[in-house]
Amino acid sequence: MGTTTSATTAATDGATTLADVLVPWFRAHARDLPWRRPETTAWGVLVSEIMLQQTPVARVEEPWRAWLERWPRPSAMAAAPASDVLRAWGKLGYPRRALRLHAAAQAIAADHDDVVPADVETLESLPGIGTYTARAVAAFAHGQRVPVVDTNVRRVVARAVHGDAEAGAAAARDLADVEVLLPRETTDAATMSAALMELGATVCVARGPRCADCPILDRCAWQHRGRPAWDGPVRKAQTWAGTDRQVRGRLLDVLRGAPGPVTAAALEAAWLTDPGQRARCLDSLLVDGLVEPLADGRFALPGEAGDVG
DNA sequence: GACGCGTGGAT
DNA sequence: TATCCAAGCGT
């Protein structure tokens, strides 16, 4: 980073746009994340985007490196059993993401010549790739000029453009909101999207925004309005202790930690508080395809026992 | 549109 | 210690 501001052309009427400020700011201040390096493949970008869904950057860096070293192409991962994929996923959380990435890799290998698609609609047709991830891959891996809207971008737009403290629920209009902020130049458009995300992740954060460090403070609508408090609906607090999520996590942790199939007793020991809840959660893991029952009564990670498809 | 889905660091 | 929150997706 630290490159000089390479004459980002201002709008034809001479007005300085948001992109005129944020693109150079990004080039000077962006974190040096491994998936942003120029040698990163589209597959590497896709893997990073899936891992980063609801998971902080700091916890993704090392698993991402190991993942790309082990499975440098979609076909490599496609050939691995799901059990290997789930163990490599480790404790990143939301393991259904790993299963969907596995399925996406198989589809890319089988139907797309092992090349990560560049078309938003095609990307969205793949498992685990939704509105955000499809556009992130199209923009960051393939340089397309498409709006990329995640929770950071929605917060930045809510504040800087709409003058609200928080973004509220995601809406279809979010894409159009951001599209008008993108510069005409395709390459700069992708950088602008990355800049909006970076600003939201490092400066315009949810709690305790560092407005003194903000490059667009002088044109922030929220600032101009005196930074009024959020008066919209309050998000429901996440509960954790005793939830099915916790129980599922415990059960899966037993499977991941074992070298092979485990007994029903081993899973029962993972959650003694409420046997009914434990049974219900194990069943939901079976439904999700995260666990497989064996004929002898034991349980295994999918594909682990050699029972292919 | 609301809900369920893991995990762990920050405050 | 408890709560908040983190580059969403599928149902």
Side-chain angles (χ1 to χ4, degrees), chain A residues 11-33:
Chain A
T12 48
D13 62 1
T16 303
T17 66
L18 219 50
D20 292 328
V21 179
L22 284 181
V23 168
W25 173 83
F26 179 80
R27 294 195 169 120
H29 296 281
R31 293 166 293 175
D32 182 21
L33 303 175

Side-chain angles (χ1 to χ4, degrees), chain A residues 4 10 40 51 69 71 79 86 103 108 117 119 122 124 130 142 159 165-166 207 253 281 302 307:
Chain A
T4 51
T40 303
M51 288 183 168
E69 187 170 337
W71 297 307
L86 287 170
I108 293 168
D119 175 69
T122 307
E124 282 183 327
H142 298 294
R159 289 174 179 164
E166 294 183 24
R207 275 197 295 182
D253 197 45
C281 289
D307 54 335

Side-chain angles (χ1 to χ4, degrees), chain A residues 81-130:
Chain A
S83 54
D84 282 7
V85 170
L86 287 170
R87 287 204 174 88
W89 193 258
K91 308 203 79 169
L92 278 175
Y94 291 146
R96 294 188 297 188
R97 290 182 294 167
L99 240 38
R100 290 172 183 149
L101 179 57
H102 193 214
Q106 291 174 334
I108 293 168
D111 305 332
H112 301 283
D113 294 325
D114 217 16
V115 176
V116 175
D119 175 69
V120 167
E121 284 192 18
T122 307
L123 285 162
E124 282 183 327
S125 74
L126 296 171
I129 300 185

Side-chain angles (χ1 to χ4, degrees), chain A residues 8-296:
Chain A
T8 308
T9 51
T12 48
D13 62 1
T16 303
T17 66
L18 219 50
D20 292 328
V21 179
L22 284 181
V23 168
W25 173 83
F26 179 80
R27 294 195 169 120
H29 296 281
R31 293 166 293 175
D32 182 21
L33 303 175
W35 43 86
R36 284 178 175 167
R37 294 200 301 253
E39 68 268 23
T40 303
T41 62
W43 168 240
V45 171
L46 172 57
V47 172
S48 77
E49 294 299 343
I50 300 293
M51 288 183 168
L52 287 163
Q53 291 171 2
Q54 300 287 283
T55 302
V57 164
R59 284 179 37 212
V60 166
E61 295 202 43
E62 284 314 307
W64 181 85
R65 291 182 216 276
W67 198 280
L68 269 293
E69 187 170 337
R70 182 173 183 178
W71 297 307
R73 287 171 299 282
S75 56
M77 181 186 169
S83 54
D84 282 7
V85 170
L86 287 170
R87 287 204 174 88
W89 193 258
K91 308 203 79 169
L92 278 175
Y94 291 146
R96 294 188 297 188
R97 290 182 294 167
L99 240 38
R100 290 172 183 149
L101 179 57
H102 193 214
Q106 291 174 334
I108 293 168
D111 305 332
H112 301 283
D113 294 325
D114 217 16
V115 176
V116 175
D119 175 69
V120 167
E121 284 192 18
T122 307
L123 285 162
E124 282 183 327
S125 74
L126 296 171
I129 300 185
T131 305
Y132 162 76
T133 304
R135 285 163 182 78
V137 171
F140 304 145
H142 298 294
Q144 290 198 47
R145 186 184 181 281
V146 293
V148 182
V149 183
D150 73 338
T151 187
N152 290 306
V153 174
R154 293 197 309 110
R155 185 173 53 251
V156 169
V157 170
R159 289 174 179 164
V161 178
H162 300 309
D164 298 324
E166 294 183 24
R173 133 149 216 207
D174 296 340
L175 286 176
D177 269 1
V178 173
E179 205 280 335
V180 302
L181 300 178
L182 299 182
R184 295 289 176 81
E185 286 294 326
T186 296
T187 307
D188 284 349
T191 304
M192 176 61 174
S193 287
L196 287 167
M197 290 176 63
E198 188 75 358
L199 187 67
T202 64
V203 176
C204 194
V205 295
R207 275 197 295 182
R210 300 163 43 208
C211 297
D213 297 329
C214 183
I216 57 172
L217 180 65
D218 61 342
R219 61 181 72 207
C220 174
W222 188 45
Q223 192 70 217
H224 290 153
R225 289 178 53 187
R227 295 170 62 177
W230 173 243
D231 63 352
V234 178
R235 275 195 296 275
K236 261 200 271 188
Q238 288 180 342
T239 57
W240 173 247
T243 60
D244 285 3
R245 285 221 306 272
Q246 183 184 24
V247 178
R248 286 167 54 106
R250 288 278 184 84
L251 295 173
L252 215 47
D253 197 45
V254 171
L255 273 300
R256 273 197 310 263
V262 306
T263 63
L267 293 179
E268 287 165 13
W271 191 257
L272 301 170
T273 313
D274 182 343
Q277 183 185 27
R278 191 216 69 246
R280 181 176 70 245
C281 289
L282 177 55
D283 186 64
S284 75
L285 289 170
L286 296 172
V287 170
D288 286 348
L290 286 162
V291 179
E292 282 182 357
L294 303 185
D296 63 6

